[in-house]
Amino acid sequence: MTAKALLCASAGVLALATVTPAFAQTTEATPAQSSKTPAAGKGQDLPKPTTASDRSANPAAPQPSIQESPAEDSGEIIVTGLRRSLQSAQAIKRNSDGIVDAVVAEDIGKLPDTFASSALARVSGVQVSRGGGESAGVTVRGLPDLSTTYNGREIFTAEGRFVQIQDFPAGTVAALEVYKSGTANLIEGGIGGQVNVRGRRPFDFNGFELSGSLNGVNWQQSGKLSWNGNLLVSDRWDTGIGEMGLLVNASYVGINFLDSLREQSLVVGTTNAANAPGTTGGVRYPDAQSLFLGYGRRWRPSANAAFQWKPTPELEIYADGLFQGYRGRDLNRFMFVPIFGGPEFTLTNLATRAGASNIAQSATVTGANAPDGYYGSANGETNTYQAGGGAIWKRDNLQISGDVAYTDSTYTFDLVNIDYTFRSSPVRNVVFESPGTDGGPTFDFANFNLTDPANYISRGFFQEYLKVGGKDIQSRVDVQYDFDGGLLKRFQFGVRYNDRDANRDRGAPYIFTLPAQQPITALPVSTESTLAGFGYNNTFPIHTFAAIPSNSIRGNLAALRTFYGAPAGRPEFNPSENFRANEKALAAYAQVKYGFDIGTVVVDGVVGVRAVRTKNTISGFLRDEQTPGNFLITPITAKNEYTDYLPNVSARVAATDELQLRLAYTQTRTRPNFFDLNPALTVGSPPTIDPNNPPNPNDPNSNVRTITAGNPNLSPLTSNNYDASLEWYFSRTGSLTGAIFRRDAQGFISNTTVFTTDPVYGRVRYTQPENTGATRFQGVEVGFASFLDIDGLPDWAKGFGLQANGTYVDSRGDLASTLATSPNVAGQQQRFNGVSKWTYNLIGLYERPFFSARLAYNFRSDFVQYYSQEPLDLDANGAQRTGGVIEKGRGQLDFSTTVTPIPNVTLAFDIVNLLGNPIRRYRDFNDAGDQFARQIFYLERTYSLGVRFRF
């Protein structure tokens, strides 16, 4: 079905809903109320206080919980999924002490998107990257370093600082809270802010709850099917020792994607009389092209349980546990097609771009190096466990709470690559920039059968085994006292202690089978043609080629190791790639909430400071290959200790019950990753030259020895944050907000690479992380959300709603030292990686009791993916240039609809990436701004059909 047809069908469904009022009931029966009432602050839409005294009177719940009541008090406006989601998210934003945005589940187990990270992309100021069948790389207002918490507790994956938001299946999430300005009582750890993932607890419900969902997902490019589902059971009971509640929730998310990518080299060569006979030379062209087909079968099992007990009205005791799993079985098929080679390399039929006689458009390539590539089988697995418990005691104005938790997370990665090269180097016809909207490179071969495995020769065997892990014990005590009157409304203080371990082990040997020169048919494996890629693109003529399937690689590993002469079993860990780390952090905070009235204007806010003492110890090894095969391994340990003071101050000025102004100043910081702090240094093996594929003559650094090192002297990343927002709440689901912000950050970590000549090792590539200088982010956000709850409109018209938000971010920062030396950027700050100037969301909603629909468009403008220095990328004076790979602006359209034929059972249909437009990346190669495409990347389009139930 075409995008146009789908849009027409969606419009038809909406039109049907608007002309069928018989099904659009204006009221909904209120269910019988349980004798059990929600805990304080649970299941209520907290009203906006009208005076400073009123605000201090109800401090028990800093954020309102998810409302499960199906109807408004008046009974006139239906409060079903989409409307309830907007209403609860608005209440969180409106009543918070900081600047917070939220996404709230429409119902139990139903965030608006399959992945939590995709749902976050709908929040103003949030940007995500896409690939692998999901969204990732979440940034807030340009800053990538976010702390992640689960129900207020710190959580991480393996040795990393944070957990990826996409690791939270949407079915287990009640709400996502994005803290854009922090307060002293929040856990430190992210200069970009904090994302709190809120799960559900049994006291969120009035009594027994049973809900679940099951969806089948069709992945269009791969042609595969996957399943998603979740199941929640919760109940609460009055017992002789108080009220108790127990909740168990399980979720499963399956992915079965195919990503198709065509690309060309960043190295731009120049024709001359020898390689382009009959021309005057001087024409620029990328010196290689390639294609990549990435298949992924991934699944994320997740489960959580929560227990709550109120032995007395003053005391609540709770315990909970979380399991997050990730399983990945990826197949990677890569083909590299050189446009360079020995003395017989020539370009004929050379055509140049219209209006640019020195930029190549297409050519016929003869005598270049033979194409090569690899067949990869990559297995990944994550297991993260968190268990904890605590108590909350409250009497009169005093509240004391304590919490302790243990987290254990491991990630293993097992990769096997079989490298190949073509038996011969066929003539190919290449196009450097295809006509049409997608553009980018294409190539095809003359008189060469890509699907015949006899045309592929074994070239090498690579194995990698990585095992990383982390665990911690975290504990905290918080005290809160609420004053009955006066300027001070609340006083909070607390302490938190965290003891964290991290470890990494890796082995990655490579066997270069130069003498073998055997076809892949001689290997102890089977062969097949790849699944066809580029399902949305008819420009690229190659959709499939011969390959070795992953199950054949895995099923014959022992025989493959014997064939290549590799040791039996998994690769041994390389000591120089391993480390052990311990970090202890003690934090203490104090914060006061103040409030006063100036006539009818209400002013309140918080002032606080958080102090954090950090001690870390990291041990690794220095590895030096003094002579071929002779390694000197030396242990090394680095220690560091520092203290951070993180102040915050904010004010909220309410001119009326509907209109309020916020002002905030905060300081945030992020510790460097353990991997970057690793003191190890590794000197790689001497390079091996394949006479069939000699080094690229256009790249003098393509055949060098590699030296890599960590940097235990890295400093934390810090940021001074300034925020102001104006918020108008004109109804329970209606708001218009605007914000301006500035972030002055210092010390982002970048890997610096220097090519130099070492007196012992010769030409080397030396890579080490370093802190960069200052980076500034500043911008504006606007947001609007409302249903048409207008008196006088017919009931069916009140089902329409709109969400719209937009963000402008101007980012400028210092480059890494090795990139900042080029004359074209010297003394200038550049756009920060991964930050689009413009991001906006337009979401159309329609909801009645039996039917709902949502059409969501997300757009982000172009951004710099990364900066680099490429050979032969020179300015007019012949000096090395620094350039950035630019990802062009792209919009994504998603559609979802639900029908509820009988109470408590809902059918759901979703389309993700309805437009199917690719990601396009380009890089300029001269001062004039002339560009060649770097990558054209086609993401999956999915169709999902499922059922949800709730009893």
Side-chain angles (χ1 to χ4, degrees):
M1 182 179 290
T2 66
K4 181 178 180 180
L6 286 168
L7 286 172
C8 292
S10 303
V13 173
L14 288 172
L16 178 63
T18 63
V19 299
T20 317
F23 293 97
Q25 303 296 323
T26 58
T27 60
E28 186 176 76
T30 302
Q33 296 297 313
S34 168
S35 62
K36 305 175 181 65
T37 58
K42 305 294 186 182
Q44 302 173 34
D45 180 18
L46 300 183
K48 175 90 158 45
T50 56
T51 68
S53 298
D54 290 337
R55 285 182 177 175
S56 64
N58 188 12
Q63 302 293 343
S65 285
I66 311 307
Q67 180 181 346
E68 298 301 338
S69 173
E72 294 267 7
D73 295 339
S74 66
E76 295 178 356
I77 299 175
I78 306 304
V79 185
T80 49
L82 296 172
R83 186 185 296 271
R84 181 168 57 233
S85 174
L86 283 183
Q87 179 175 309
S88 299
Q90 177 172 300
I92 292 172
K93 180 179 180 70
R94 184 177 188 178
N95 298 310
S96 65
D97 287 331
I99 297 176
V100 180
D101 279 294
V103 179
V104 177
E106 300 167 18
D107 203 342
I108 303 174
K110 179 54 181 173
L111 273 183
D113 297 272
T114 304
F115 300 101
S117 52
S118 298
L120 278 183
R122 316 297 180 191
V123 174
S124 61
V126 175
Q127 299 175 357
V128 301
S129 56
R130 303 180 189 272
E134 57 193 358
S135 302
V138 177
T139 65
V140 175
R141 291 177 169 175
L143 292 167
D145 294 277
L146 305 171
S147 63
T148 47
T149 57
Y150 179 70
N151 287 333
R153 292 195 191 112
E154 185 178 16
I155 190 168
F156 53 84
T157 299
E159 92 290 16
R161 290 291 185 186
F162 316 122
V163 67
Q164 295 294 330
I165 300 299
Q166 67 267 27
D167 284 345
F168 288 98
T172 65
V173 174
L176 300 164
E177 299 160 341
V178 182
Y179 290 84
K180 298 177 179 178
S181 72
T183 51
N185 59 315
L186 293 177
I187 297 174
E188 74 285 348
I191 64 169
Q194 186 174 109
V195 177
N196 181 51
V197 180
R198 196 196 305 180
R200 298 184 184 273
R201 289 181 171 175
F203 284 3
D204 290 348
F205 307 105
N206 287 336
F208 178 76
E209 290 284 342
L210 172 65
S211 69
S213 67
L214 180 65
N215 297 316
V217 183
N218 179 56
W219 300 79
Q220 183 172 337
Q221 283 199 117
S222 72
K224 302 292 185 178
L225 183 69
S226 65
W227 297 94
N228 301 332
N230 70 280
L231 182 66
L232 178 144
V233 182
S234 179
D235 204 358
R236 53 195 293 184
W237 309 270
D238 289 322
T239 71
I241 55 174
E243 186 176 7
M244 295 183 180
L246 179 65
L247 177 148
V248 178
N249 190 17
S251 177
Y252 176 92
V253 174
I255 300 172
N256 215 326
F257 70 92
L258 165 58
D259 285 343
S260 307
L261 181 148
R262 47 193 175 95
E263 64 180 5
Q264 54 195 0
S265 172
L266 292 175
V267 179
V268 179
T270 306
T271 64
N272 53 48
N275 62 29
T279 70
T280 57
V283 178
R284 307 300 303 273
Y285 65 96
D287 72 354
Q289 296 184 333
S290 60
L291 70 86
F292 176 83
L293 301 178
Y295 312 89
R297 183 174 65 88
R298 302 175 181 176
W299 61 102
R300 285 186 167 89
S302 177
N304 66 286
F307 170 76
Q308 289 177 286
W309 173 31
K310 295 197 73 172
T312 71
E314 298 174 334
L315 177 64
E316 178 185 323
I317 299 171
Y318 61 87
D320 52 59
L322 170 70
F323 164 71
Q324 280 186 335
Y326 165 81
R327 308 290 185 265
R329 302 294 183 265
D330 288 3
L331 292 77
N332 300 318
R333 277 77 182 270
F334 178 69
M335 180 183 295
F336 177 76
V337 182
I339 310 178
F340 60 82
E344 297 182 359
F345 162 64
T346 58
L347 297 173
T348 57
N349 300 322
L350 182 64
T352 58
R353 286 185 190 172
S357 60
N358 65 334
I359 301 177
Q361 168 63 23
S362 62
T364 299
V365 181
T366 305
N369 285 357
D372 57 38
Y374 61 81
Y375 312 121
S377 173
N379 293 348
E381 181 172 310
T382 300
N383 292 298
T384 300
Y385 303 89
Q386 185 174 86
I392 303 171
W393 178 81
K394 182 179 180 182
R395 175 172 293 177
D396 298 327
N397 293 355
L398 178 64
Q399 177 175 297
I400 302 174
S401 63
D403 187 89
V404 62
Y406 173 76
T407 308
D408 189 332
S409 180
T410 59
Y411 171 69
T412 57
F413 179 71
D414 184 353
L415 171 67
V416 180
N417 276 3
I418 296 177
D419 287 4
Y420 69 84
T421 185
F422 280 16
R423 178 180 291 277
S424 62
S425 183
V427 174
R428 47 253 195 199
N429 297 305
V430 300
V431 177
F432 300 107
E433 187 64 33
S434 302
T437 56
D438 291 358
T442 69
F443 58 86
D444 200 2
F445 299 101
N447 301 318
F448 191 87
N449 186 354
L450 285 172
T451 62
D452 184 356
N455 284 328
Y456 297 77
I457 294 174
S458 168
R459 184 169 181 262
F461 183 66
F462 176 75
Q463 301 176 87
E464 178 184 4
Y465 184 59
L466 173 70
K467 186 175 182 179
V468 290
K471 59 182 65 176
D472 84 337
I473 296 177
Q474 53 183 297
S475 58
R476 63 183 296 169
V477 175
D478 300 271
V479 179
Q480 175 178 302
Y481 185 81
D482 297 295
F483 298 97
D484 291 327
L487 176 66
L488 296 182
K489 305 304 178 184
R490 181 186 305 159
F491 175 68
Q492 297 170 288
F493 71 90
V495 294
R496 180 178 183 271
Y497 178 73
N498 185 56
D499 190 339
R500 172 82 190 275
D501 292 321
N503 59 82
R504 180 182 191 267
D505 296 286
R506 180 177 183 265
Y510 181 67
I511 298 176
F512 190 74
T513 58
L514 188 61
Q517 295 293 302
Q518 297 190 48
I520 61 172
T521 53
L523 274 61
V525 292
S526 62
T527 59
E528 66 179 13
S529 291
T530 66
L531 289 177
F534 305 99
Y536 314 142
N537 178 248
N538 294 322
T539 302
F540 196 48
I542 299 175
H543 292 249
T544 184
F545 57 96
I548 302 173
S550 177
N551 58 2
S552 183
I553 294 175
R554 293 291 171 181
N556 296 283
L557 261 181
L560 283 168
R561 289 175 176 137
T562 300
F563 177 87
Y564 286 103
R570 281 176 170 159
E572 293 184 359
F573 292 133
N574 180 354
S576 65
E577 305 219 39
N578 307 342
F579 70 77
R580 298 293 183 270
N582 176 261
E583 182 176 85
K584 295 178 174 64
L586 177 64
Y589 76 90
Q591 182 170 266
V592 295
K593 182 169 185 176
Y594 64 89
F596 55 89
D597 301 336
I598 305 176
T600 60
V601 177
V602 180
V603 180
D604 68 2
V606 294
V607 178
V609 65
R610 187 176 186 91
V612 188
R613 183 67 172 170
T614 303
K615 297 181 180 180
N616 58 46
T617 302
I618 304 181
S619 299
F621 296 88
L622 299 180
R623 175 184 182 268
D624 185 358
E625 187 177 6
Q626 297 181 317
T627 59
N630 181 21
F631 301 99
L632 178 64
I633 307 295
T634 307
I636 184 173
T637 297
K639 296 184 178 182
N640 208 346
E641 186 173 344
Y642 51 89
T643 302
D644 295 299
Y645 297 95
L646 307 173
N648 67 282
V649 56
S650 67
R652 178 171 54 174
V653 181
T656 69
D657 287 347
E658 297 179 345
L659 184 66
Q660 63 185 28
L661 169 70
R662 293 181 187 269
L663 302 170
Y665 166 75
T666 59
Q667 283 188 358
T668 50
R669 73 103 174 89
T670 299
R671 301 180 182 99
N673 290 322
F674 293 111
F675 179 79
D676 293 325
L677 291 168
N678 182 11
L681 181 144
T682 300
V683 179
S685 301
T688 302
I689 298 177
D690 180 0
N692 295 318
N693 285 300
N696 185 354
N698 295 323
D699 184 358
N701 297 318
S702 64
N703 188 48
V704 297
R705 199 167 188 173
T706 299
I707 299 177
T708 59
N711 186 352
N713 298 315
L714 291 171
S715 301
L717 294 71
T718 60
S719 180
N720 292 303
N721 313 312
Y722 310 87
D723 295 275
S725 69
L726 186 62
E727 304 163 4
W728 177 34
Y729 300 100
F730 50 82
S731 72
R732 285 197 173 187
T733 61
S735 64
L736 176 62
T737 62
I740 57 175
F741 57 88
R742 177 168 176 145
R743 304 286 186 262
D744 290 327
Q746 186 78 27
F748 279 105
I749 295 173
S750 299
N751 279 322
T752 61
T753 299
V754 177
F755 291 94
T756 185
T757 300
D758 184 90
V760 176
Y761 302 114
R763 192 68 176 166
V764 298
R765 178 206 303 258
Y766 183 80
T767 301
Q768 184 181 41
E770 69 171 16
N771 289 108
T772 59
T775 306
R776 181 208 68 208
F777 306 85
Q778 59 186 11
V780 179
E781 291 176 359
V782 293
F784 173 84
S786 182
F787 275 85
L788 296 182
D789 299 331
I790 301 174
D791 292 341
L793 285 179
D795 292 328
W796 61 264
K798 294 180 180 181
F800 286 102
L802 175 68
Q803 288 178 273
N805 60 63
T807 305
Y808 170 81
V809 182
D810 177 49
S811 63
R812 286 289 183 270
D814 296 334
L815 294 177
S817 59
T818 53
L819 297 174
T821 57
S822 297
N824 70 309
V825 297
Q828 307 172 35
Q829 291 191 319
Q830 303 296 315
R831 293 172 62 185
F832 191 74
N833 293 0
V835 180
S836 296
K837 281 192 174 183
W838 297 98
T839 307
Y840 65 83
N841 290 279
L842 292 174
I843 305 172
L845 310 171
Y846 187 79
E847 182 165 55
R848 301 303 295 154
F850 88 105
F851 173 82
S852 72
R854 175 176 176 262
L855 191 63
Y857 182 75
N858 170 257
F859 176 83
R860 62 180 299 189
S861 64
D862 64 64
F863 62 91
V864 180
Q865 191 184 29
Y866 61 88
Y867 291 94
S868 66
Q869 293 177 341
E870 302 301 332
L872 304 183
D873 183 357
L874 309 176
D875 65 16
N877 298 317
Q880 179 71 65
R881 294 179 69 257
T882 293
V885 173
I886 307 296
E887 184 167 313
K888 300 292 187 179
R890 179 181 181 271
Q892 177 158 316
L893 184 65
D894 303 326
F895 172 76
S896 62
T897 185
T898 64
V899 177
T900 305
I902 60 174
N904 302 323
V905 176
T906 298
L907 303 177
F909 175 67
D910 301 88
I911 307 173
V912 175
N913 191 22
L914 196 150
L915 300 177
N917 48 330
I919 292 172
R920 299 176 298 131
R921 296 167 181 150
Y922 284 76
R923 188 184 191 277
D924 59 41
F925 58 89
N926 58 27
D927 288 340
D930 294 320
Q931 296 180 331
F932 279 115
R934 168 58 176 164
Q935 294 173 326
I936 310 296
F937 187 13
Y938 296 86
L939 305 176
E940 276 283 6
R941 179 189 289 132
T942 63
Y943 304 86
S944 171
L945 181 64
V947 60
R948 299 201 308 268
F949 63 87
R950 180 182 181 187
F951 301 100

